[in-house]
Amino acid sequence: MADSLKTRARVVCIRCHDRKVRCDLSSRPGDTACRHCQRDRVPCRIYIGARRRRVQSRVAGSDRFAENVSNSPSLDVASSGEHEEASLTNSDPFDTSSATVTAPDREQVTERDLAPLSHASSAPPITALACPGYFGDQSVMSLGPQTQTGCDPATSPFDVDAILKLTRASSIPPATLQNALTDLYTEWLYPYVPILGRKDIDQCGSSLLLRHALSFAGALVQRPGRYPSTWTPRDFANKIKTLLFLETEKNIFNVLKAFCFLSCWSQGSPRDATLDCPWQWLATAIRLAIQLGLHRESIHGNPGVGGCTRQLWWFLFNNETLQSACYGRPSMLQTVHFDVRPPEPHDFDVDDLKAKFFCSTTRMCIILNSHMNRTTTYRSITTQELMSIFASLQQWLEQLPEELRLFDISGSRHPYQFLTQVTHVVYFTSITLAYLLPGPHRQSPLFRKASFLASQTVFRLFEEILYRDEVHHLLPIFIWVILVATVAQVSCCDETSEEQHGVRERIEIGRLILVQLAEKHPSASLVLAKIERLERSDDRASIAQLVNITPDIPSCPPNSEALSTTLEQTELLCTAIGALFPFPESFIPRIDSLKAIPWNSFGAIPSDQGLWSLDTMNWTLDWFDLVGDLLGAPASSLPTAAPSVHS
């Protein structure tokens, strides 16, 4: 017995241990695999016995989460020996390849034993679930100790090497291109998607998935045709999806960030129902973030979790809010469902213009999310709700940092800044969307004029971006913004020839921008077709029907609060609308016309003003796809709108 113990191998691999055969791994210091694994050409990994494992009890709240995340690996499968050592600290007691080695064990494992054993070829797919899932305090699943179960990750149903070779997912672009794409991300996409700080970027070399994600992010804001044909956004996206499918990334937060970047771009038309689209990638990212507990404030700011988690959560919120408004779909995230504090500039590595832009955009998306969710109730908006929206928009504008303002306190225009332009594009689009909420306020000439001026200013801001050749830095969501502004311009303009001429010029600006965006984003071609169809239509009454008809939405029920507006409320509404435009007339022509329009609470306006059908008040934000269907139909085939309950 003593002799057998002396000759017993001190280090064995998992495969030999399971097969109960002698393993010569410890006697092969120059090789990365034992003779059995080398002969069978399979990965060879050290087996860690049960007595070396440490099963940790579940700790309630964020302390438990941070403790596990601090032990989670942050490197990819193709990294150095430190990565393999880090992977031995996972908390899954049934993961024989990632069990914890404790110091008091009788058989100590040396640095030679912890060295990578399978880096000569690609490592087998390893589950990314190194962090524990979040259980709410009210769930019975949070009671008692948490015993994790799982299968042996060393066994893979796929030939990972063959798949990586076939898809070229393991190939990386030249260093010069990587550096250029990294700079493009930090300069142009980071203000929208600040999920990779400088420290994360410096560590991207240890994660193949994160490296491709960073290159993909830079390619999204690169001018089309400026990159090699083998390194397009589509190529990077396909590599990312391959690595996600193979589960080669151990760091679950890197996986989450990859999902976030995929949710920023679509390689198909938004009309197609498919799993490979931004809507689906965003939903997956949101669910993974909730599974990690990022919807709880107690998680953020903990050193064990890492940086940028707050920005990551609010990026998901902003992206989901804008996509839901674009497609007219129910929102998956509402502020009442989480308690995460909105980001502040001091949460960023550098308190600069980019940090202030993201914080201001987040505050605007909170406002949008609040009044966009009112459309799901299919009822008219009340006067108090309108006042609340206007007060929120006015407060947002007053709290806007000086660096993001168009004008200084004396009324002089600040020098051009791309992020300043985009900030105000979102602001004026929010005014237009508030007008488009269901209710009798849309019949008011004052609201119509406010919507017209807001959409007019959107095109003014886009025009400056176009002439400075920065269109390719716009994200796909601004394609929808152009469509919103176009519909408002066509629908709210007066019958004067001068105003109609101005509308045609603004639509042409939008068309030029869409032509450039269509080179990268297929959805731009769809919106471009919608706008061109609108321009060719000679029947303006048909255009009104196209915008107003929603055959699959129930009629808005009567709302007595929406119809009862006192004289005092009328004056407050007029004042609130005027406060939304604190800009000189040199910037917004005919801004003074707002003061000359009387407010009528019941919306009784002459029939020759505007294009909105007064008999159909069931218009909601589901028009992105609906208008596309009806625009392709001849005007004679359009359905007749049913009388509204507000008529």
Side-chain angles (χ1 to χ4, degrees):
M1 178 66 69
D3 294 337
S4 62
L5 289 176
K6 292 180 181 180
T7 59
R8 183 178 180 180
R10 183 169 58 88
V11 178
V12 299
C13 71
I14 296 175
R15 192 163 177 266
C16 292
H17 178 271
D18 292 341
R19 297 172 60 192
K20 300 189 185 316
V21 298
R22 177 178 290 275
C23 181
D24 62 349
L25 184 60
S26 59
S27 62
R28 298 166 65 93
D31 295 327
T32 59
C34 71
R35 61 186 180 89
H36 297 293
C37 295
Q38 195 174 55
R39 180 196 60 199
D40 299 334
R41 304 183 67 179
V42 297
C44 184
R45 307 181 65 183
I46 294 177
Y47 169 78
I48 307 298
R51 57 184 173 179
R52 297 176 183 171
R53 304 173 193 167
R54 180 177 58 194
V55 180
Q56 299 177 342
S57 300
R58 176 183 172 91
V59 180
S62 60
D63 293 339
R64 166 187 170 273
F65 184 90
E67 180 180 357
N68 285 274
V69 174
S70 63
N71 291 330
S72 62
S74 58
L75 305 178
D76 191 50
V77 294
S79 61
S80 64
E82 294 179 356
H83 164 62
E84 190 72 17
E85 183 173 1
S87 69
L88 297 176
T89 62
N90 291 338
S91 59
D92 187 352
F94 292 89
D95 187 348
T96 57
S97 65
S98 59
T100 302
V101 181
T102 58
D105 286 336
R106 287 178 293 178
E107 296 181 7
Q108 300 296 327
V109 180
T110 64
E111 293 182 1
R112 158 66 182 88
D113 303 329
L114 296 177
L117 300 180
S118 56
H119 297 332
S121 60
S122 300
I126 302 172
T127 177
L129 299 180
C131 298
Y134 171 84
F135 289 141
D137 296 336
Q138 294 77 21
S139 172
V140 296
M141 295 294 292
S142 64
L143 301 176
Q146 304 302 308
T147 302
Q148 299 179 350
T149 60
C151 59
D152 184 1
T155 304
S156 171
F158 311 111
D159 188 342
V160 178
D161 289 333
I163 295 177
L164 292 177
K165 183 177 180 180
L166 179 65
T167 60
R168 300 181 65 248
S170 58
S171 61
I172 58 176
T176 52
L177 179 58
Q178 289 186 68
N179 295 335
L181 294 176
T182 299
D183 293 340
L184 284 171
Y185 164 73
T186 56
E187 180 65 24
W188 297 105
L189 190 63
Y190 178 83
Y192 304 101
V193 197
I195 62 176
L196 286 180
R198 174 52 57 184
K199 182 178 179 181
D200 299 318
I201 293 176
D202 293 340
Q203 296 177 350
C204 276
S206 59
S207 171
L208 181 61
L209 176 65
L210 207 56
R211 187 182 300 184
H212 282 326
L214 181 59
S215 300
F216 171 70
L220 291 180
V221 290
Q222 190 179 31
R223 186 189 306 277
R226 296 296 179 89
Y227 35 67
S229 58
T230 55
W231 301 110
T232 63
R234 184 186 299 270
D235 294 321
F236 285 119
N238 290 336
K239 295 177 189 297
I240 293 172
K241 288 181 284 189
T242 300
L243 296 176
L244 290 173
F245 171 76
L246 295 176
E247 295 183 315
T248 59
E249 176 61 56
K250 285 186 175 181
N251 190 330
I252 193 64
F253 285 96
N254 289 347
V255 174
L256 178 57
K257 292 173 183 178
F259 282 129
C260 289
F261 285 125
L262 288 176
S263 70
C264 296
W265 180 73
S266 174
Q267 59 183 357
S269 170
R271 292 287 298 155
D272 300 332
T274 175
L275 293 177
D276 187 7
C277 66
W279 179 261
Q280 300 290 352
W281 294 118
L282 178 61
T284 303
I286 290 174
R287 286 194 169 273
L288 181 55
I290 294 176
Q291 187 180 19
L292 291 171
L294 298 187
H295 61 299
R296 310 308 301 177
E297 173 62 31
S298 57
I299 298 300
H300 301 276
N302 199 310
V305 178
C308 296
T309 56
R310 185 181 305 277
Q311 295 91 306
L312 192 152
W313 173 259
W314 282 105
F315 160 73
L316 293 175
F317 175 84
N318 296 347
N319 195 359
E320 201 278 332
T321 296
L322 293 174
Q323 285 199 33
S324 296
C326 172
Y327 298 124
R329 297 167 183 170
S331 177
M332 293 179 285
L333 282 181
Q334 300 182 26
T335 53
V336 296
H337 297 154
F338 57 90
D339 63 348
V340 182
R341 171 181 61 79
E344 298 292 341
H346 61 77
D347 295 320
F348 292 73
D349 295 337
V350 181
D351 183 357
D352 57 1
L353 183 67
K354 301 171 186 176
K356 292 180 173 64
F357 170 81
F358 182 77
C359 295
S360 299
T361 303
T362 298
R363 290 194 294 111
M364 177 57 71
C365 286
I366 292 175
I367 300 173
L368 280 174
N369 185 274
S370 175
H371 72 253
M372 290 298 104
N373 288 329
R374 292 187 175 97
T375 63
T376 61
T377 61
Y378 306 126
R379 65 172 179 82
S380 300
I381 193 170
T382 66
T383 303
Q384 284 71 23
E385 289 173 333
L386 282 174
M387 292 295 298
S388 175
I389 293 174
F390 295 155
S392 299
L393 292 175
Q394 183 180 356
Q395 183 183 28
W396 179 90
L397 194 61
E398 293 173 349
Q399 296 177 352
L400 196 64
E402 185 65 28
E403 299 91 329
L404 289 172
R405 293 181 179 271
L406 289 171
F407 297 87
D408 59 21
I409 192 171
S410 64
S412 301
R413 181 76 183 268
H414 282 303
Y416 173 87
Q417 286 275 4
F418 176 80
L419 294 181
T420 301
Q421 301 291 113
V422 173
T423 299
H424 287 81
V425 164
V426 176
Y427 169 73
F428 287 109
T429 301
S430 300
I431 297 176
T432 303
L433 292 175
Y435 165 74
L436 297 178
L437 290 171
H441 65 280
R442 290 187 316 201
Q443 301 183 32
S444 163
L446 181 62
F447 272 88
R448 292 179 57 256
K449 177 58 68 173
S451 176
F452 181 82
L453 293 176
S455 57
Q456 167 187 299
T457 311
V458 168
F459 282 111
R460 165 73 182 272
L461 296 168
F462 274 135
E463 184 179 15
E464 295 178 350
I465 294 176
L466 174 66
Y467 294 156
R468 284 171 172 79
D469 197 22
E470 294 181 337
V471 171
H472 53 282
H473 298 320
L474 295 172
L475 292 187
I477 192 64
F478 291 102
I479 298 171
W480 165 73
V481 169
I482 293 176
L483 182 56
V484 171
T486 301
V487 171
Q489 283 286 291
V490 173
S491 304
C492 298
C493 70
D494 296 331
E495 296 290 342
T496 62
S497 59
E498 179 182 359
E499 191 161 289
Q500 291 183 13
H501 177 72
V503 169
R504 286 193 291 269
E505 289 183 341
R506 297 179 198 109
I507 293 178
E508 177 64 16
I509 293 296
R511 189 188 67 82
L512 292 175
I513 294 175
L514 291 173
V515 168
Q516 293 190 32
L517 292 177
E519 298 179 21
K520 290 196 299 184
H521 309 294
S523 56
S525 300
L526 174 64
V527 173
L528 192 60
K530 297 174 186 290
I531 293 177
E532 291 177 350
R533 178 67 180 179
L534 275 174
E535 288 185 290
R536 291 197 302 267
S537 178
D538 297 327
D539 189 353
R540 302 186 68 188
S542 297
I543 298 176
Q545 287 187 355
L546 290 174
V547 176
N548 283 277
I549 295 173
T550 55
D552 58 338
I553 302 298
S555 298
C556 296
N559 192 331
S560 58
E561 296 183 24
L563 297 176
S564 60
T565 305
T566 64
L567 180 61
E568 180 181 1
Q569 290 174 328
T570 298
E571 295 177 351
L572 290 175
L573 283 171
C574 292
T575 303
I577 292 177
L580 298 177
F581 297 89
F583 303 97
E585 189 169 2
S586 59
F587 180 67
I588 306 180
R590 301 181 63 183
I591 186 66
D592 293 337
S593 62
L594 280 176
K595 303 177 182 178
I597 300 177
W599 163 265
N600 188 311
S601 62
F602 294 94
I605 61 175
S607 59
D608 60 345
Q609 290 194 25
L611 301 176
W612 294 105
S613 173
L614 303 183
D615 293 331
T616 54
M617 299 303 299
N618 300 339
W619 195 92
T620 71
L621 296 177
D622 295 331
W623 53 268
F624 185 90
D625 291 332
L626 176 66
V627 176
D629 294 337
L630 295 179
L631 284 176
S636 58
S637 65
L638 293 173
T640 303
S644 169
V645 294
H646 300 298
S647 301

